[in-house]
Amino acid sequence: MATTTATATNRRVILKEYVEGYPREEHMELLPGSSVPLRLTGTEPAGSVLVRNLYLSCDPYMRPKMSRPLRESYTAAFVPGDAITGYGVSRVLDSSDPRFAPGDLVWGITGWEDYSVVTPPVSKFLAKISHHGEGVPLSYYTGILGMPGLTAYVGFHEICAPKKGETVFVSAASGAVGQLVGQFARLAGCHVVGSAGSKEKVELLKTKFGFHDAFNYKEEPDLGAALKRCFPDGIDIYFENVGGAMLDAVLLNMRVHGRIAVCGFISQYNLADGEKDAVRNLAAVIAKRLRLQGFIEPDHKHLYPQYEAWVLPYIRDGTLAYVEDVAEGLENAPKALIGLFHGRNVGKQLVRVADDESAA
């Protein structure tokens, strides 16, 4: 007698068309659910994993993926009509990858949908979650224990190589990565200052994350003067998240032999090539013998076990704080992602798709 495979309704968020300028919710669409099997069918490539998505991560790097690919990039553009993809936390329902069994919790790249079949080579980068509960929420694997956490760790500790007593500036400091860099700098014995886009976020930096000082860049008519006020003797380390005018001002305020970890340029992602801010002070890189290095998290996956072992005790004993901005439901994922590019989020922006207990 033939067995019947259970099915479920699968909703998907797709990119409708490539985006120019600021993305809007109507650039994306939540498609009504279609029936999908809750087991692999056997037609998928070996190493495939069927998952129920629990949390989805909204990250700045997703904006360039929404534009028509005009030049080579480290990450492929989204395909109009297909489900958007990004980092997430999921529960395994079925797997032909021997690393995973039904019931396992994993984090990595998945689809913006209720259920995803993650196939090689993407499935190779799924990681099993071994630590949650006891002060470690599952959602943290979209942030402090996921890609943003490793990004902050690599950029600050590996690229910038901080020394006790040095001065550190972090832009977009209340975001998923910035809030961690500031706290890592404090733990390293550095003097750290952050910038953010609202009074609420500035207060968060100083009272929640332990930044020694912070300022609202929107209220500063002269960014160079603001940096000089906060760093009268100059900046040793700049963790770059925004680009544009802020980078230009920072270059003139760096100290000799300063280091700049270039993580992102969120201020430039929604601008056409002719609208992007020119960086005019690059000569300072030579005059001040600066090291300016771009980096991406996937190049440093091998450091994740080292990072996880280092950061978990700080999470559990409350030394590190982490603030999340959680949108409820897959239907609210487009709004959450759009808000990221307008500074509406406070802390790490993520979407709760399903409760772990109901993941089936």
Side-chain angles (χ1 to χ4, degrees), residues 149-216:
L150 184 57
T151 298
Y153 180 79
V154 167
F156 185 64
H157 284 288
E158 297 293 321
I159 292 176
C160 292
K163 302 178 184 69
K164 186 176 180 178
E166 288 190 314
T167 55
V168 178
F169 177 53
V170 185
S171 56
S174 67
V177 174
Q179 61 175 289
L180 293 175
V181 175
Q183 293 179 86
F184 294 174
R186 190 193 69 225
L187 287 172
C190 298
H191 179 83
V192 58
V193 177
S195 66
S198 72
K199 291 180 179 179
E200 176 190 10
K201 292 179 180 180
V202 167
E203 283 304 304
L204 192 68
L205 295 180
K206 294 190 288 187
T207 61
K208 184 78 171 179
F209 302 135
F211 282 68
H212 296 99
D213 201 357
F215 63 88
N216 181 352

Side-chain angles (χ1 to χ4, degrees), residues 42-271:
T43 61
E44 305 86 358
S48 297
V49 186
L50 171 64
V51 298
R52 173 58 157 121
N53 294 314
L54 305 177
Y55 293 96
L56 300 175
S57 179
C58 298
D59 297 296
Y61 83 90
M62 299 173 74
R63 171 59 189 88
K65 292 169 69 69
M66 301 174 78
S67 295
R68 188 180 304 277
L70 299 178
R71 56 184 65 86
E72 186 176 349
S73 176
Y74 69 91
T75 182
F78 296 137
V79 177
D82 286 356
I84 289 172
T85 58
Y87 283 91
V89 172
S90 313
R91 182 172 288 281
V92 175
L93 300 181
D94 197 8
S95 175
S96 62
D97 185 324
R99 296 177 300 153
F100 306 118
D104 286 345
L105 292 164
V106 296
W107 73 273
I109 297 292
T110 190
W112 275 33
E113 53 194 348
D114 293 303
Y115 301 88
S116 296
V117 176
V118 186
T119 58
V122 176
S123 61
K124 294 179 181 179
F125 296 101
L126 288 175
K128 187 175 179 178
I129 294 173
S130 302
H131 305 279
H132 70 96
E134 300 180 359
V136 184
L138 195 55
S139 59
Y140 274 17
Y141 284 87
T142 68
I144 187 171
L145 284 169
M147 180 273 289
L150 184 57
T151 298
Y153 180 79
V154 167
F156 185 64
H157 284 288
E158 297 293 321
I159 292 176
C160 292
K163 302 178 184 69
K164 186 176 180 178
E166 288 190 314
T167 55
V168 178
F169 177 53
V170 185
S171 56
S174 67
V177 174
Q179 61 175 289
L180 293 175
V181 175
Q183 293 179 86
F184 294 174
R186 190 193 69 225
L187 287 172
C190 298
H191 179 83
V192 58
V193 177
S195 66
S198 72
K199 291 180 179 179
E200 176 190 10
K201 292 179 180 180
V202 167
E203 283 304 304
L204 192 68
L205 295 180
K206 294 190 288 187
T207 61
K208 184 78 171 179
F209 302 135
F211 282 68
H212 296 99
D213 201 357
F215 63 88
N216 181 352
Y217 70 89
K218 294 179 181 178
E219 295 181 347
E220 299 290 346
D222 185 336
L223 292 175
L227 292 169
K228 189 67 176 177
R229 181 180 72 239
C230 295
F231 299 100
D233 297 319
I235 302 166
D236 291 301
I237 291 172
Y238 174 42
F239 200 98
E240 165 68 300
N241 288 310
V242 301
M246 184 65 82
L247 174 59
D248 224 25
V250 166
L251 287 169
L252 294 181
N253 282 275
M254 292 294 293
R255 299 184 70 184
V256 172
H257 299 302
R259 289 88 73 202
I260 300 175
V262 183
C263 178
F265 290 146
I266 195 169
S267 73
Q268 307 299 294
Y269 292 156
N270 297 301
L271 304 177

Side-chain angles (χ1 to χ4, degrees), residues 327-358:
E328 296 290 344
L330 184 62
E331 64 275 11
N332 287 312
K335 181 179 180 180
L337 181 59
I338 297 307
L340 196 68
F341 305 111
H342 295 277
R344 297 175 191 147
N345 60 300
V346 178
K348 167 62 190 170
Q349 183 67 68
L350 63 141
V351 179
R352 190 186 348 254
V353 179
D355 293 328
D356 183 31
E357 292 77 11
S358 64

